Amino acid sequence: MSTRYPFTAVVGMDDLRLALLLNAVSPAVGGVLVRGEKGTAKSTAVRALAELLPAVPVVAGCRFSCDPASPDPGCPDGPHEAGPGAERAARMVELPVGASEDRLVGSLDIERALAEGVKAFEPGLLADAHRGILYVDEVNLLHDHLIDLLLDAAAMGFSNVEREGVSVRHAARFLLVGTMNPEEGELRPQLLDRFGLTVEVAASRDPEQRVEVVRRRLAFEDDPAAFAARWADEEAELRGRIVAARSLLPQVTLGDAVLLQIAATCAAFEVDGMRADIVMARTATALAAWAGRTGVTSEDVRQAALLALPHRRRRSPFDAPGLDEDKLDETLEQFKGEDPDPDPDPEPDGPDDGGPGDGGPGDGGPGGGGPDGGGIPPQGDGPAPEDVPAPEEAPVPEPAPQRAGAGERAAVKAAEPFRTKVLSVPGLGEGAAGRRSRARTEHGRTTGSTRPRGALTKLHLAATVQAAAPHQKARGRTGRGLVVRRDDLRQATREGREGNLVLFAVDASGSMAARQRMSAVKGAVLSLLLDAYQRRDKVGLVTFRGRDAEVALPPTSSVDAAAARLEQLPTGGRTPLSAGLLKAHDVLRVERLRDPSRRPLLVVVTDGRATGGRAAGDPVALAARAARLHAAEGTASVVVDCETGPVRLGLAGRLALELGGTAVTLDELRAEAIAGLVRDVQTGHAGHASRRAA
C-alpha cells in the first residue's frame, strides 16, 4: 500500500484544511467543493484526510459496511444481528470521471433476475464509500446524470438501484469531496448548492512558503515512509482532536441570537432556498465543537458564511464567486446578540498538553488564531508561523488585457447579454450528454432495441421477452417462469440531447472597430456563450485581424474563460477572413481526433469583408476556398452578419452559402425571428449538398 502525504505537512491552504476537518467532525455539513488552479495540491490534501478519520466498526463480511451497533434492517447482505463486529480503516473511494452509472450505484444480474427472480447485486462505489469519503476529482467534468445520482445519495443517505421492476436499496452515507479547475468549466448552480462548503485555493505568492512546499514535496518523494514518520505525532494529535470534537458536537447549542444572525446573513445576500441557512447552522456548530466549546459565537457564524455562501450567490457562469466581507460584518453587527459564554475548559475530551494541534491560543489557522481556538495545527518542523506569512487569498488570475498596437483600438465593453434560441447541429449524434442537438444517449426517450455490446445497462423488456418467447418449448420450460438466455437480452436504444463543440470565429478587424458596433457584437457572442453553458457545450474562440488569426481560447468547457478573452479583445487592422477560417479548420481537425463523437458547430461573427492576410492572392477567393473546406467536411455553421448601415454588400450571406450554412443578423439573433434558424441551418446543408450533386 502506498504512503499518502501527511495532512499536517500540507503548507498553507488554511481554509481548505479547515473545511475538510469540519466535515470530518460533522459529515452533516454536506461535503466540500474545492475550486482552484492546477497544481495547488487540492487532491493531495483530500487524500491525506482519509488517514485522519477514526477506524470504522463494521459487521464482519458485510459488503455494505453496516454498523454492528445498529445494522441496516434493509441491507442486501442482511439481516444482521446487533453485536460486536470488526474494525477497519475509513475508506476514501475515488470516482473516476469516465465511470458508468453501474460502476457508481452497482448493478443487477438482469438475466438471473428475470429467469430466477434472484437479486444478484454487485455493489458500486456508493456502497464502498459508506461511512467513509467519496472523492470526485474534476467533478465539473462528470456527466450530469452521474452527478444527480451522486448528490441524491449524499442528501438522502441511501442509494436505490432500479432495473425493470427489480429494486435494491442500501445505506450510502459518506463525506463528499469534489475538486475542480474552473478553467475547465463550471457546475450548474443547482448542483453547486448541493455542496455544503466551497473553498477557493490558489498557489501562494510568497517565495518562502513556495520554497517550503518544494522542500517538503521532494523530501516525501525521496523517502515517503521516513517523511510520514516525521509527521506521525502531529497526525495522531489531529486525529485525537477530531474524535474529541465529534464527542462534543451533540452538546453544542445554537442560541436564538445566533440563529437570527444566520437567517439575516442568508437573507442579506439573497441566497436561494433554505439550504444555506441549514448548512451555516451545521458549520457554525462544527466550528464550535472544533474549538472545544458548547456555544456558538458570532465569529463562528462569520467563518461559516465565508465557507457556505460564496458559491450560492452566483447567478450566471460569468459571475465570480465571492462574498462582500464588509457587508457580512455589517449584517452580523446589526443582528448581534449576546454570545454564549465559551467553556472555561476549551477541550474537555481532547488533547490537553497545549502542544501543536490542541487549538490553544498559540495555534494559527483559518480562524486567525484568535481566542476561539478555531485554527489548524502549525506545520510541524517547518517554518514557525511568524516566519511564514499567511498565503494570499488571490483570485484565479485572469488573462492580461491585450494592448492595442498600431492601427488598433482598445477593447470595448460588451453589451448586455440577451437570451437566444437553439442553434443545433442537424442529424443524430452520439456525443457527450448535453442539451443542444439530438443524439443517441444512455438516458432519454426509448426509441428501439439492439443486441448489447458488452455489459447490458438498459434492458428493453418487451424486446427481450419477444426474443425469448419462441424458444420456450425447445428449452424445456415447464413452470411459470420464462427461460431466458444471454442471447435473448436486448439493450434499449434511447434518444436525448448531446453537447457540441461551439467554435466561435470572431472578426476583430478595423471594419468591425466602431465602438457601438463591436460592443453589440461582443454582447451577441456573450449571449451565445451563456447559451452554450446552459446546454453543456465545449466552446472555443478564434479571432482574426491584421495579417493573421490566432486561437484566443482552445476548446474548453469553461465559458467564463471564453468571456474573459472576449472582453479583452482589441480591434483594428485588415480582415484576414481566410486565415480565420483556416485556423478554425485546424482547431476542428484536432478536436475530431481527440473527441470524434462530439460534433462541432462553427459560428462565424463577421461582416463578410476580406481584405488581406499573409497568403498571396485574391482575399475574397481565398476566403471562399477556406469556407468550402468546412462545407466538404459537413461542419454545421452559422454566420452572424455584423454589417450595418443603409448600404449593405451581402458578403456575409455569400460566405454562409460557401460554408453550406445560414446567415443571421445581429437583430435576428436576439428575438423570436431566430425561431426558424434551426430549420434554416438544416435547409442550408441540404441545399448545399444538392448543388454539389448537380
Side-chain angles (χ1 to χ4, degrees):
M1 181 177 177
S2 61
T3 303
R4 286 178 177 155
Y5 194 89
F7 188 86
T8 50
V10 175
V11 179
M13 297 197 298
D14 292 342
D15 285 345
L16 169 58
R17 293 187 293 136
L18 178 61
L20 292 172
L21 290 170
L22 292 177
N23 273 273
V25 171
S26 175
V29 165
V32 185
L33 176 63
V34 187
R35 296 163 44 92
E37 58 197 25
K38 52 189 175 292
T40 49
K42 302 185 295 292
S43 301
T44 299
V46 174
R47 293 188 176 101
L49 179 67
E51 299 296 326
L52 297 176
L53 298 183
V56 178
V58 295
V59 173
C62 177
R63 296 175 298 167
F64 300 88
S65 302
C66 280
D67 186 347
S70 56
D72 180 8
C75 175
D77 283 357
H80 306 298
E81 294 184 2
E87 276 198 351
R88 63 161 175 78
R91 292 176 182 158
M92 193 197 73
V93 177
E94 294 195 42
L95 173 62
V97 169
S100 66
E101 181 180 337
D102 284 348
R103 184 71 186 98
L104 176 64
V105 301
S107 59
L108 289 169
D109 188 329
I110 302 297
E111 186 175 357
R112 291 188 63 192
L114 286 176
E116 306 172 30
V118 176
K119 294 181 181 179
F121 181 66
E122 184 65 30
L125 295 177
L126 291 180
D128 292 342
H130 180 45
R131 305 175 70 200
I133 301 174
L134 182 61
Y135 172 46
V136 189
D137 194 14
E138 307 294 354
V139 64
N140 52 323
L141 304 183
L142 203 63
H143 285 184
D144 285 352
H145 71 281
L146 293 183
I147 294 178
D148 293 338
L149 291 169
L150 177 64
L151 295 180
D152 282 345
M156 295 185 294
F158 60 84
S159 174
N160 269 335
V161 183
E162 303 282 349
R163 290 291 187 275
E164 303 298 337
V166 181
S167 176
V168 172
R169 170 175 167 164
H170 65 84
R173 291 183 295 276
F174 46 81
L175 169 57
L176 177 63
V177 182
T179 56
M180 59 175 281
N181 182 352
E183 294 178 355
E184 297 173 341
E186 289 287 353
L187 282 175
R188 304 197 312 264
Q190 60 268 40
L191 299 182
L192 277 173
D193 185 55
R194 298 296 290 271
F195 282 94
L197 310 179
T198 296
V199 178
E200 296 276 344
V201 296
S204 172
R205 301 297 183 257
D206 178 69
E208 292 185 10
Q209 198 166 47
R210 294 174 75 97
V211 166
E212 186 61 24
V213 170
V214 174
R215 181 183 293 121
R216 294 187 188 185
R217 188 69 206 184
L218 294 178
F220 173 75
E221 292 176 355
D222 287 343
D223 192 341
F227 185 83
R230 287 171 50 197
W231 296 89
D233 290 343
E234 286 83 353
E235 294 280 291
E237 288 178 5
L238 195 56
R239 191 177 298 112
R241 187 174 175 188
I242 291 173
V243 172
R246 283 187 174 184
S247 300
L248 185 61
L249 186 65
Q251 304 171 39
V252 177
T253 57
L254 275 169
D256 289 343
V258 170
L259 285 172
L260 181 60
Q261 280 189 316
I262 291 172
T265 301
C266 293
F269 286 100
E270 300 179 347
V271 296
D272 297 330
M274 295 298 298
R275 185 174 284 120
D277 304 62
I278 296 170
V279 170
M280 274 189 64
R282 288 172 173 166
T283 305
T285 303
L287 279 162
W290 178 246
R293 290 182 273 102
T294 57
V296 178
T297 67
S298 293
E299 184 58 32
D300 294 331
V301 176
R302 186 182 192 279
Q303 183 68 63
L306 292 174
L307 293 173
L309 296 188
H311 62 296
R312 293 185 165 89
R313 288 192 28 78
R314 295 188 63 154
R315 292 295 182 267
S316 84
F318 309 131
D319 294 337
L323 212 62
D324 184 342
E325 294 194 32
D326 290 337
K327 182 178 179 180
L328 173 61
D329 291 335
E330 290 174 6
T331 304
L332 293 175
E333 184 64 30
Q334 181 181 355
F335 291 89
K336 185 175 183 179
E338 291 187 6
D339 287 334
D341 251 353
D343 292 345
D345 179 8
E347 287 188 9
D349 301 316
D352 58 2
D353 58 0
D358 70 350
D363 280 0
D372 292 339
I376 286 178
Q379 302 299 316
D381 62 353
E386 60 270 17
D387 296 331
V388 180
E392 298 179 9
E393 295 182 359
V396 178
E398 295 184 356
Q402 299 183 37
R403 295 185 178 181
E408 295 179 351
R409 302 188 185 183
V412 300
K413 187 175 179 60
E416 194 68 24
F418 52 87
R419 185 174 181 82
T420 67
K421 291 193 176 180
V422 183
L423 302 174
S424 67
V425 178
L428 192 65
E430 294 182 344
R435 298 182 178 182
R436 184 171 295 277
S437 305
R438 293 175 55 226
R440 298 182 185 91
T441 59
E442 286 291 320
H443 297 267
R445 177 173 57 90
T446 300
T447 58
S449 65
T450 185
R451 290 181 181 273
R453 303 173 187 172
L456 179 73
T457 56
K458 296 291 182 182
L459 178 74
H460 194 295
L461 182 58
T464 299
V465 172
Q466 188 176 7
H471 309 290
Q472 296 306 294
K473 186 175 180 179
R475 293 173 183 174
R477 173 187 171 188
T478 56
R480 299 178 60 185
L482 190 68
V483 181
V484 180
R485 303 268 174 86
R486 181 161 295 277
D487 289 343
D488 301 327
L489 300 179
R490 294 294 182 268
Q491 176 86 17
T493 57
R494 303 186 179 219
E495 183 178 310
R497 294 279 170 178
E498 67 178 358
N500 297 113
L501 166 59
V502 182
L503 181 63
F504 295 91
V506 180
D507 184 349
S509 65
S511 64
M512 303 277 288
R515 294 187 66 84
Q516 185 176 2
R517 183 180 181 190
M518 196 60 197
S519 176
V521 168
K522 286 187 176 182
V525 177
L526 205 61
S527 304
L528 292 169
L529 283 171
L530 181 59
D531 182 69
Y533 164 76
Q534 293 168 342
R535 300 189 187 284
R536 315 303 290 166
D537 294 318
K538 290 180 70 175
V539 296
L541 180 62
V542 171
T543 63
F544 52 96
R545 60 188 171 89
R547 300 184 62 194
D548 213 342
E550 65 175 351
V551 180
L553 183 72
T556 174
S557 296
S558 178
V559 296
D560 51 345
R565 301 301 195 277
L566 181 73
E567 192 70 29
Q568 305 296 341
L569 178 66
T571 57
R574 292 179 172 270
T575 311
L577 179 55
S578 62
L581 294 173
L582 290 174
K583 183 67 72 174
H585 182 268
D586 290 343
V587 171
L588 295 179
R589 177 178 55 80
V590 172
E591 286 302 307
R592 282 191 182 97
L593 296 175
R594 289 178 177 170
D595 190 358
S597 64
R598 188 182 289 269
R599 297 186 295 163
L601 174 64
L602 176 64
V603 179
V604 184
V605 185
T606 181
D607 58 8
R609 289 181 172 85
T611 59
R614 294 186 182 278
D618 178 13
V620 175
L622 291 172
R625 188 184 306 169
R628 288 194 289 271
L629 284 175
H630 289 280
E633 294 183 353
T635 301
S637 58
V638 175
V639 178
V640 179
D641 184 358
C642 303
E643 192 173 28
T644 57
V647 179
R648 302 197 179 196
L649 303 178
L651 298 176
R654 296 180 200 172
L655 176 63
L657 287 175
E658 295 290 354
L659 285 166
T662 190
V664 57
T665 67
L666 287 174
D667 291 336
E668 292 171 334
L669 193 61
R670 71 169 50 241
E672 293 303 320
I674 198 177
L677 185 57
V678 175
R679 182 175 62 252
D680 293 341
V681 171
Q682 297 171 346
T683 304
H685 274 270
H688 187 75
S690 63
R691 286 196 301 275
R692 288 204 310 270

